[in-house]
Amino acid sequence: MRINLDFYIHWIWTATFGVLAITGFALMGARYGWIMNYALPLADYLHRTLAALFVVLLTLSLLLEAFRLTGENKPAVWLMVGTKPYQVFTLITTLLLVLSGIFIWVCMEWSAAGMAFSMMVHEIVSFLALGSLIWHIYQKAHAIKT
Amino acid sequence: MYNKKWFKLLVWSSSVFFFFLSGCVLIASLGPSPNEGQVHQWMAAMMGAMEKSLMGFSMQLEEDSQLAYIIYSSGHLILPTAIGGFLTGLLVRSLKTYGKKTK
């Protein structure tokens, strides 16, 4: 049984996104802080550390897709980015999350308006991404039915 | 692979995690607003994050003017790089489509 790189990237991405989601929602506001029992120093540390890993995974996925398209074009069914509609949606939401996240990280003191806009984008896209993930689970559930 | 026990366990555990997280987010979003105690608890935890975590560290880095200049200068590279990458992707895609049509 051969397991390709795209399979590993998919599940590492899933685990990373899961921790980013739970820590991110806890950091979002007092309404959601109870999700991690208000352990915000830990949530902040995990969120920022795994965000760096998330960017690495995104870069790796984009490189893999670029090599796949310009090379033998072997199918990579587990890859998070690609030409199928949900892959394009994942790419767009990931880019929005990464770019707004970088802005939040870097520009906390510089521009209050930019910070507020980035946080709004980051929060809305995170809701969309989580909702789409539930849809994705339902859509692919047929694969493990016996 | 789809019939292997470890794979089914992987899928079920991640699915359960995300379903529970979605449930928590829905409960928090549609439920009552946080009370004063919860708001103070969250604000105190956020102050703790600024003191103990990377949030405070990054805020101190922003006071470094040399680093700020580097970050600002690198920002000028991002837009041309992103546009160039997008156009390159379109070019590669059109070349592959043209290559398939002429075969």
Side-chain angles (χ1 to χ4, degrees), chain A residues 1 3 7 11 14 17-18 21-22 25-35 38 40-41 44-45 48-49 69-71 73 78 83 105-110 127 130 133-134 137-138 143-144 146, chain B residues 1-4 6-8 10-12 14-15 17-19 21-22 24-25 27-34 38-39 41-42 45-46 48-49 52-55 58-59 62 68 71 92-93 96 100:
Chain A
M1 182 186 68
I3 296 178
F7 179 85
W11 290 105
T14 304
F17 182 79
I22 194 169
F25 279 110
L27 288 165
M28 205 180 273
R31 188 180 273 273
Y32 303 94
W34 60 269
I35 292 175
Y38 301 98
L40 297 192
D44 179 70
Y45 183 78
R48 287 173 190 258
T49 312
L69 287 173
T70 54
N73 207 10
W78 288 100
T83 51
W105 196 336
V106 168
C107 301
M108 205 179 240
E109 298 281 310
W110 291 346
F127 280 112
L130 188 64
L133 194 60
I134 300 300
I137 291 169
Y138 270 114
I144 59 166
T146 51
Chain B
M1 179 172 64
Y2 299 139
N3 293 323
K4 300 276 183 191
W6 63 266
F7 179 75
K8 288 187 181 182
L10 179 67
V11 169
W12 277 110
S14 59
S15 303
F17 174 84
F18 283 111
F19 270 82
L21 179 61
S22 305
C24 291
V25 168
I27 289 166
S29 300
L30 301 174
S33 301
Q38 287 170 328
V39 171
Q41 199 173 357
W42 188 85
M46 196 53 98
K52 296 174 203 169
S53 183
L54 295 172
M55 195 188 292
S58 66
M59 287 163 77
E62 284 161 18
I71 293 169
V92 166
R93 193 171 171 82
K96 281 194 77 74
K100 277 181 191 173

Side-chain angles (χ1 to χ4, degrees), chain B:
Chain B
M1 179 172 64
Y2 299 139
N3 293 323
K4 300 276 183 191
K5 213 171 193 177
W6 63 266
F7 179 75
K8 288 187 181 182
L9 199 64
L10 179 67
V11 169
W12 277 110
S13 58
S14 59
S15 303
V16 163
F17 174 84
F18 283 111
F19 270 82
F20 266 105
L21 179 61
S22 305
C24 291
V25 168
L26 271 174
I27 289 166
S29 300
L30 301 174
S33 301
N35 57 36
E36 195 178 339
Q38 287 170 328
V39 171
H40 284 152
Q41 199 173 357
W42 188 85
M43 284 169 68
M46 196 53 98
M47 290 299 297
M50 286 183 193
E51 285 161 16
K52 296 174 203 169
S53 183
L54 295 172
M55 195 188 292
F57 180 63
S58 66
M59 287 163 77
Q60 285 167 22
L61 281 177
E62 284 161 18
E63 291 169 16
D64 184 339
S65 57
Q66 275 185 327
L67 182 64
Y69 177 73
I70 291 168
I71 293 169
Y72 175 74
S73 303
S74 64
H76 285 286
L77 285 172
I78 290 175
L79 196 60
T81 311
I83 292 171
F86 180 70
L87 291 173
T88 308
L90 283 176
L91 179 68
V92 166
R93 193 171 171 82
S94 64
L95 283 172
K96 281 194 77 74
T97 312
Y98 179 73
K100 277 181 191 173
K101 280 181 185 171
T102 51
K103 276 186 185 171

Side-chain angles (χ1 to χ4, degrees), chain A residues 54-72:
Chain A
F54 200 58
V55 173
V56 169
L57 286 171
L58 173 65
T59 311
L60 205 58
S61 299
L62 288 171
L63 284 172
L64 204 65
E65 181 65 10
F67 284 136
R68 194 185 72 83
L69 287 173
T70 54
E72 291 173 7

